């Protein structure tokens, strides 16, 4: 995996097709990183100083020690191996301190919690300028956790500010080799790999060996960051009794553009189970109008008559969404 040391703009200036980038020492200057390097207790005290007194509880994912920190399904995929509880953030922090020296603590994991909602003021001294982008900033807090390989639609700049994390990344084309689970019943919203990275079963999942030939792995300490482009598969592992990550999510598309995942779900309902010859025909239709669309696609239609074949804008997208909703709900 490529590595940079310096300003985030060095990596953000690269095309997304360049793949992931590790940015060593990107947030070394943050006071939160300095506190974490002093001690776990200093880092917890620093976070306590920003907790909003009237903040709602956070959603904490909790599991028995036997899970080994793996956020996953139960044995037959009928449910999950964890439970979720509404807990005040200060209680989460103090509980992590309580279990820090335990050989086999329960897993405790607070995922994707909006910084400005629960820790107002934190970003005053712990933030990154990302010119031309309006990212969502979130914090992730937990002990030794293992988050299965999954994709996110937005680009992701993930900054380790306490503890250590190991990130294992795969290009989007490794979908088939990662043995992805259900799309509509997931531990945290995104479909995940069913392979246990700590003990991969190559009899059950033989193609995973091929996926690992394409893997890019990096260990990140306090101050380090990784830029994960949209749709790159990533497995995240917390390696210490106390780990904190701050990440920034953004999409380089207009706000009115919907997620392609909705199109995939609708295609499953309308295209996947067609007879083979019809599917092949629709493959050509999608290739023509979507995947290989260019200036020539509608050039034979007078410009004022192209309608949805014209470049989309917010107004046309709103009209199209209304038309789809009317058809779906008929």
């Amino acid at each position: 995996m490529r590595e940079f040391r310096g300003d985030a703009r060095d990596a953000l200036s690269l095309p997304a097709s360049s793949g992931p980038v590790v940015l060593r020492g990107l947030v070394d200057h943050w006071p939160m990183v300095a506190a974490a390097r002093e001690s776990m207790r200093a880092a917890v005290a620093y976070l306590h100083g920003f907790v909003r007194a009237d903040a709602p509880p956070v959603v904490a994912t909790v599991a028995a020690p036997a899970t080994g920190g793996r956020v996953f399904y139960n044995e037959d995929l009928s449910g999950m191996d964890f439970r979720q509880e509404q807990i005040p953030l200060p209680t989460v922090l103090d509980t992590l301190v309580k279990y820090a020296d335990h050989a086999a603590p329960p897993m405790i994991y607070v995922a994707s919690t909006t910084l400005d909602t629960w820790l107002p003021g934190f970003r005053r001294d712990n933030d990154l300028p990302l010119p031309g982008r309006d990212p969502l900033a979130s914090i992730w807090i937990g002990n030794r956790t293992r988050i299965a390989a999954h994709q996110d639609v937005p680009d992701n700049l993930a900054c380790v500010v306490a503890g250590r994390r190991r990130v294992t990344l795969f290009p989007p084309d490794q979908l088939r080799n990662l043995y992805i689970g259900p799309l509509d019943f997931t531990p945290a919203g995104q479909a995940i790999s069913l392979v246990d990275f700590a003990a991969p079963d190559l009899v059950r999942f033989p193609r995973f060996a091929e996926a690992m030939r394409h893997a890019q792995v990096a260990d990140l300490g306090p101050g380090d960051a990784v830029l994960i482009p949209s749709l790159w598969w990533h497995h995240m592992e917390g390696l210490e009794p106390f780990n904190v990550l701050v990440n920034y999510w953004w999409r380089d598309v207009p706000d009115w553009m919907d997620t392609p995942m909705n199109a995939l779900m609708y295609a499953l309902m309308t295209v996947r189970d067609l007879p083979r010859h019809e599917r092949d025909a629709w493959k050509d239709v999608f290739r023509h109008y979507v995947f290989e669309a260019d200036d020539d696609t509608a050039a034979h239609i007078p410009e004022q008559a192209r309608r949805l074949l014209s470049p989309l804008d917010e107004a046309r997208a709103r009209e199209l969404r209304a038309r789809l909703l009317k058809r779906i709900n008929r």
Side-chain angles (χ1 to χ4, degrees):
M1 195 182 311
R2 292 168 307 151
E3 295 195 6
F4 282 78
R5 180 171 287 277
D7 197 294
R9 286 170 291 192
D10 296 338
L12 296 178
S13 65
L14 298 171
S17 58
S18 299
V21 182
V22 170
L23 298 127
R24 296 291 179 190
L26 179 67
V27 294
D28 272 347
H29 59 288
W30 284 10
M32 174 66 201
V33 172
R37 285 178 173 155
E38 179 182 338
S39 68
M40 174 184 175
R41 292 182 182 277
V44 168
Y46 185 80
L47 289 172
H48 267 297
F50 294 102
V51 175
R52 203 180 95 207
D54 61 344
V58 295
V59 177
T61 298
V62 181
T67 65
R70 189 185 187 199
V71 179
F72 199 64
Y73 297 97
N74 60 13
E75 189 171 342
D76 64 358
L77 274 66
S78 63
M80 304 300 166
D81 70 353
F82 57 84
R83 67 184 187 277
Q84 291 188 318
E85 301 179 4
Q86 302 276 334
I87 304 176
L89 181 54
T91 302
V92 172
L93 296 171
D94 293 342
T95 303
L96 287 167
V97 172
K98 171 185 172 182
Y99 284 109
D101 296 326
H102 283 230
M107 182 194 73
I108 303 168
Y109 180 54
V110 174
S112 193
T113 299
T114 308
L115 266 172
D116 293 339
T117 300
W118 275 270
L119 297 167
F122 179 91
R123 293 176 68 190
R124 183 180 58 247
D125 298 317
N126 304 270
D127 205 8
L128 285 174
L130 299 173
R133 293 170 172 84
D134 183 22
L136 173 66
S138 301
I139 192 166
W140 310 65
I141 304 169
N143 49 11
R144 290 186 174 92
T145 57
R146 293 189 288 136
I147 309 305
H150 62 283
Q151 291 176 311
D152 294 311
V153 172
D155 292 307
N156 182 2
L157 180 60
C159 308
V160 174
V161 296
R164 293 183 303 120
R165 288 187 191 254
R166 176 170 297 138
V167 56
T168 306
L169 299 116
F170 305 86
D173 64 10
Q174 291 304 299
L175 166 64
R176 182 172 182 271
N177 297 327
L178 288 169
Y179 297 90
I180 303 306
L183 296 179
D184 53 344
F185 181 59
T186 68
Q190 305 299 329
I192 65 169
S193 171
L194 299 183
V195 180
D196 184 351
F197 279 36
D201 182 347
L202 296 181
V203 174
R204 183 182 175 192
F205 305 119
R207 293 191 305 274
F208 183 67
E210 175 62 21
M212 285 305 299
R213 283 191 274 273
H214 299 268
Q216 300 184 32
V217 183
D219 284 359
L220 308 174
D224 294 336
V226 60
L227 177 63
I228 306 174
S230 171
L231 296 182
W232 272 71
W233 299 96
H234 49 289
H235 177 281
M236 303 290 285
E237 184 176 1
L239 302 175
E240 300 288 344
F242 181 67
N243 301 280
V244 182
L245 180 143
V246 169
N247 85 307
Y248 300 86
W249 268 321
W250 68 87
R251 294 187 69 196
D252 288 328
V253 297
D255 290 342
W256 49 261
M257 283 191 69
D258 206 342
T259 172
M261 182 56 70
N262 289 343
L264 174 62
M265 295 293 190
Y266 202 55
L268 289 174
M269 184 173 72
T270 60
V271 178
R272 184 194 60 187
D273 295 333
L274 291 172
R276 167 74 65 164
H277 69 281
E278 291 187 29
R279 280 208 315 275
D280 289 343
W282 278 108
K283 187 186 301 182
D284 287 335
V285 171
F286 274 79
R287 183 182 296 117
H288 179 75
Y289 285 109
V290 178
F291 297 108
E292 296 178 6
D294 57 20
D295 292 342
D296 189 53
T297 302
H300 57 287
I301 305 174
E303 187 172 351
Q304 74 280 2
R306 292 175 188 171
R307 296 178 174 83
L308 289 178
L309 295 179
S310 301
L312 283 176
D313 56 21
E314 186 170 4
R316 283 198 180 96
R318 189 181 301 114
E319 176 188 341
L320 177 56
R321 188 176 293 109
R323 181 179 301 180
L324 285 171
L325 287 171
K326 184 177 180 180
R327 289 186 176 186
I328 292 170
N329 294 324
R330 66 186 176 187

